[in-house]
Amino acid sequence: MKFIGLKRLTAILALLCCIPGINAKIEWQQVEPGVWKGIVGTPEDYSLLGVAGCTPLKEGFSRLPQAELPSIAPEVVAEVVNGKTHLRFPLDRNEQLYGFGLNFQTVHQRGKILNLHVDHYGGKDNGRTHAPVPFYISSNGYGVLINSARYLSVYAGSGARKDSPNAPVAKDRNTDKTWQSRPYSDAVSVLVPAEGAEIYLFAGPTPMDVVRRYNLLCGGGNLPPRWGLGFTQRTKTRYTADEVIAEADAFEQNGYPLDFIGLEPGWQSKAYPCTFEWDSTRYPNPQDFINSMKDRKVRINLWTNPYVSPDSKIYNEMYPVSGTHTVWCGIVPDFGTEKARELFKNKFDTEHLNIGVSGYKIDEIDGYDHYLWPDVATFPSGLDSEQMRQTYGLWVQRLTNDLFKKRNQRTFGLVRGSNAGGSSFPYVIYNDYYSHQDFITALINSGFSGVLWTPEVRSSKTPEEWLRRFQSVVFSPMAMINAWSSGTKPWSFPEVADQVKEYSLLRMQMMPYWYTEFARYHYDGIPPFRAMNLEPGFNIDKAVVKEVKEKNLDDNPYLEAVTKEIKDQYMAGEYLLVAPMFAGQTTRSVVLPQGDWYDFYTGEFVGNGEKIEVTPGLDKIPVFVKDGAIIPMMEPRLHAPAAGEKVNLEIRHYGKADGIYRLYDDDGETFNYENGDYSWREIKVERQKNGKLKGTISKPEKGKPNSFNEITWKFMTI
Ligand code: GAL
């Protein structure tokens, strides 16, 4: 890859327009349906989408509505000042903003000042996070991506220009009660510390359409293997092969599902920094170990960080293609060089994938600052430390993904850092933070940024907390206990062991639904877990406004935004609204979008476009279902069905309305779906003349995968 390449003619022309002090308008060029690119100054060749290696999923755009260039386009202005690029995007008074990466405490971003910087989340939504994706979505139905691998300063509706037609009016604080410390701002301003920027504008018309276009531009969302959606346990860090095997056996004996086990640092001969080599005392025969696990239908995932120990066999060769600074005294591969990429890939391929390792957890690529290389580090490729920091997570995902893809084998793993362009990577983000509430807000925000997030369960102070956390993780992209330190098992709290089992089995029963929803992520760019704000009919004003005290919203719309955001309930796939309970809570409120909603467990009507109070008891996480919903489920099992294996389907229908759902199917393990080896079967529920509901499903397509045997119907609402 070449980073300092030919500068494009358009870029030079654009630069000429950007004489310091003059705001230049941007020429917008349509690159995909409903996606436009604009160049300001001379953008750097090294970019987020470039590192991610995105190839747009062109076919997916055909299912989106026709779209015009967003109306803000002519008002987007830019200038290059003293070697830095200033960008300005207009805002309406009542506009709300979502996105800007994996935030943990807020969904509404208007009014924020963020420094987008890859880091371990530090307890504040200030831009330093695992995936500080420079992409935002407006409630007005357009989106903006700044494709820069720099630390970006974002003023998301903060800062007022003196020449703005919407400039706030000065008030006298001494006498005027409406004086505000943060006067109204009519723009998102972004500082890019480079002499240019590449910007993408996404059309709607709805915020969901914007997100879809973004994910499709990045290659479509990730489609995990079926087993990736089963249950996973990460074992205690220094477990031996025998202990891991015993753990898998205990899951089986106790009747808890398990599809893959993650080994933590102790599988390696040395860790922090890493050798990437098996520890011969704990794992004397890795191949035999992996085979024994395979016999038990359990795959193996390996933890690692990318920092190379002086004791690793690749250390000497990696040394010249690593950065100037070390991390825990390990060298930092410069993934900007072909040689470092090849050394890394080759090691993993020959020593892990070759013996049947199914995936990775790639740790410590995000931060903290004290751990990682400082910004004064330099790299042989000539990339800046800052560029390396912003893209290291993308690199490790891309490199490992390539290895599995070459083998025509899907993987699903964990990573602690990512960025724009990562939508199609088979990775879920996690971290060391442990607020259950904030984990749910992160899950909500992940859907705005083309990343997946798991509210992993580690340990708990009480059985109640254990069960509450467990219920949430079952309704997330990766159902996981991370027992690397605690050694907990699903049955660690006997008081709630049965409920935990029931929920892990429910996760398995719902696999046909989860799998289809991930297929929609892939083919249509629809995030499987997402904010209520992306839900049609979610009229937050109608549902909540009664409770909000009148404020001077004209002057300060972001105050309103903070009051009204919904950050503790989310959509899981097309039909389900999940409202997690947190330890200590016995009752909570849930805001239902317009339309009739039903209880997931009983099928009973619960409300329509209103706020309801629920008291579910400890045994249940509140889950609600849209009218006409069709949820395909299978029998409870301990392992995901293997390629070619057939399961029986139970198709549930909720509510009174007719319904249509397209059930996705492929072999669940390979990339053959990329060559057309998949099918969608249409499920319909229609009311008959006699008033009864009847379900039908289209025949399996000839010559296409068919994973389903007998089909039964369950009409949940009588
Ligand atoms: C942390 C990681 C944990 C666990 C641990 C092992 O950085 O977030 O999940 O893997 O390392 O040392």
Side-chain angles (χ1 to χ4, degrees), residues 199-366:
I199 310 162
Y200 288 84
L201 259 190
F202 299 83
T206 65
M208 174 67 107
D209 296 328
V210 173
V211 172
R212 289 178 63 182
R213 290 184 208 276
Y214 166 80
N215 285 327
L216 292 169
L217 182 79
C218 300
N222 173 249
L223 178 59
R226 277 201 175 91
W227 58 260
L229 300 177
F231 193 80
T232 179
Q233 171 85 2
R234 303 205 67 86
T235 48
K236 221 171 169 181
T237 185
R238 279 201 298 276
Y239 263 22
T240 62
D242 286 346
E243 286 171 311
V244 175
I245 290 171
E247 181 110 324
D249 288 344
F251 267 75
E252 188 85 23
Q253 279 149 18
N254 292 329
Y256 288 80
L258 181 64
D259 269 298
F260 59 112
I261 274 190
L263 306 186
E264 288 286 321
W267 73 269
Q268 296 197 37
S269 56
K270 293 210 168 135
Y272 290 88
C274 293
T275 56
F276 319 116
E277 290 152 21
W278 293 85
D279 180 80
S280 60
T281 56
R282 289 184 283 271
Y283 295 87
N285 191 332
Q287 179 72 76
D288 281 358
F289 162 67
I290 289 181
N291 291 346
S292 314
M293 295 300 288
K294 211 183 253 166
D295 292 344
R296 290 165 169 79
K297 299 195 172 133
V298 178
R299 287 170 166 81
I300 287 297
N301 170 293
L302 297 180
W303 171 98
T304 197
N305 64 50
Y307 312 117
V308 188
S309 156
D311 290 306
S312 170
K313 293 195 188 88
I314 60 168
Y315 183 83
N316 289 339
E317 271 192 278
M318 191 65 96
Y319 192 91
V321 284
S322 61
T324 46
H325 289 64
T326 58
V327 176
W328 298 299
C329 310
I331 51 173
V332 179
D334 177 358
F335 290 132
T337 68
E338 178 80 30
K339 172 118 190 263
R341 297 199 288 268
E342 285 313 308
L343 278 171
F344 187 80
K345 275 172 51 170
N346 194 39
K347 183 80 175 166
F348 283 33
D349 200 34
T350 51
E351 293 177 33
H352 312 153
L353 275 75
N354 247 350
I355 61 169
V357 164
S358 74
Y360 291 98
K361 165 175 170 178
I362 309 186
D363 206 17
E364 314 285 6
I365 47 180
D366 45 348

Side-chain angles (χ1 to χ4, degrees), residues 12 45 59 82 182 227 230 266 284 292 299 306 311 456 475 479 502 554 625 655 659:
I12 296 167
D45 287 339
E59 179 260 344
N82 298 335
R182 296 188 195 180
W227 58 260
S292 314
R299 287 170 166 81
D311 290 306
E456 66 174 39
F475 289 88
E502 188 190 319
D554 274 355
V625 195

